[in-house]
């Protein structure tokens, strides 16, 4: 079975312009990596999924490198349930129909991770996918396990996924499901 990366719900998200991205960066005093900004423009920040030749869809998952941190008990894979987009100044029916708002997630999740990381999506358990937007972490993608957040807060609950947003999308694979037989080798 062949799976291809697709963005089937892009039309549920508001259209994003370069001006929206510049305004978002200004409001939040950050600079988005170019490949992530291109994704927002092209796919409106919608969730990637895999589609097979039969037209069926499957969620995406990623490997997480915990580097022997305590949070590795979460598991070595994480699934992307939903993504965040720019809703400021947009008319939308419901923020949940087209994902969640990037601006809101900055405020809501600031206490969970070190500065310089932007929440860009979440798994089914509300653990976060983070994009580096400052310093040596800029452009890199991480996974924050809300299952195990140490106190005082440290980097022990953050695992590495990819060196860039482009590499993040390239590393996606169809989520493993036990109810669908594996394809023969």
């Amino acid at each position: 079975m062949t799976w291809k990366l697709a963005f089937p719900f892009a039309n549920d998200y508001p259209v994003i312009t370069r001006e929206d991205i510049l305004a978002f960066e200004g409001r939040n005093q950050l600079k988005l990596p170019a490949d992530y900004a291109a994704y927002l423009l092209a796919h409106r920040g919608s969730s990637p999924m895999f589609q097979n030749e039969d037209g069926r869809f499957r969620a995406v998952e990623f490997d997480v490198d915990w580097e022997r941190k305590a949070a590795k008990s979460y598991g070595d894979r994480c699934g992307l349930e939903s993504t965040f987009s720019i809703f400021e100044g947009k008319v939308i029916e419901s923020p949940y129909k087209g994902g969640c708002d990037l601006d809101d997630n900055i405020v809501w999740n600031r206490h969970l991770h070190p500065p310089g990381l932007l929440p860009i999506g979440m798994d089914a358990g509300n653990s976060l996918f983070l994009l580096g937007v400052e310093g040596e972490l800029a452009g890199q993608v991480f996974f924050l396990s809300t299952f195990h957040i140490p106190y005082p807060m440290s980097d022990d609950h953050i695992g590495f996924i990819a060196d860039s947003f482009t590499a993040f999308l390239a590393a996606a694979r169809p989520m493993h499901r036990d109810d669908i037989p594996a394809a023969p080798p």
Side-chain angles (χ1 to χ4, degrees), residues 28 101-112 119:
N28 295 289
D101 183 43
L102 272 169
D103 287 283
D104 289 345
N105 276 281
I106 290 173
V107 174
W108 296 339
N109 297 299
R110 183 170 284 144
H111 67 289
L112 295 176

Side-chain angles (χ1 to χ4, degrees), residues 1-5 48-52 56-62 77-79 169-177 180:
M1 180 147 320
T2 304
W3 295 93
K4 178 177 89 170
L5 198 62
M49 295 191 79
F50 277 94
Q51 184 176 21
N52 68 17
R56 291 188 302 172
F57 289 95
R58 189 174 291 175
V60 298
E61 70 179 9
F62 302 88
R77 292 186 307 212
C78 58
L169 290 179
R173 64 174 182 263
M175 186 174 283
H176 174 72
R177 291 186 34 196
I180 298 176

Side-chain angles (χ1 to χ4, degrees), residues 14-50:
V15 171
I16 295 175
T17 65
R18 218 163 269 298
E19 291 75 23
D20 294 327
I21 291 171
L22 292 172
F24 173 81
E25 291 173 333
R27 279 191 307 277
N28 295 289
Q29 299 176 357
L30 56 81
K31 179 73 175 146
L32 295 176
D35 56 351
Y36 183 69
Y39 152 79
L40 290 172
L41 291 169
H43 304 291
R44 304 178 182 184
S46 67
S47 296
M49 295 191 79
F50 277 94

Side-chain angles (χ1 to χ4, degrees), residues 61-110:
E61 70 179 9
F62 302 88
D63 290 326
V64 181
D65 180 1
W66 293 108
E67 302 169 347
R68 295 187 289 273
K69 295 175 183 174
K72 72 183 174 81
S73 63
Y74 184 92
D76 294 331
R77 292 186 307 212
C78 58
L80 181 61
E81 179 72 20
S82 65
T83 52
F84 308 149
S85 188
I86 298 173
F87 293 161
E88 184 74 25
K90 305 291 181 179
V91 176
I92 55 172
E93 203 173 290
S94 163
Y96 299 103
K97 182 177 181 187
C100 296
D101 183 43
L102 272 169
D103 287 283
D104 289 345
N105 276 281
I106 290 173
V107 174
W108 296 339
N109 297 299
R110 183 170 284 144

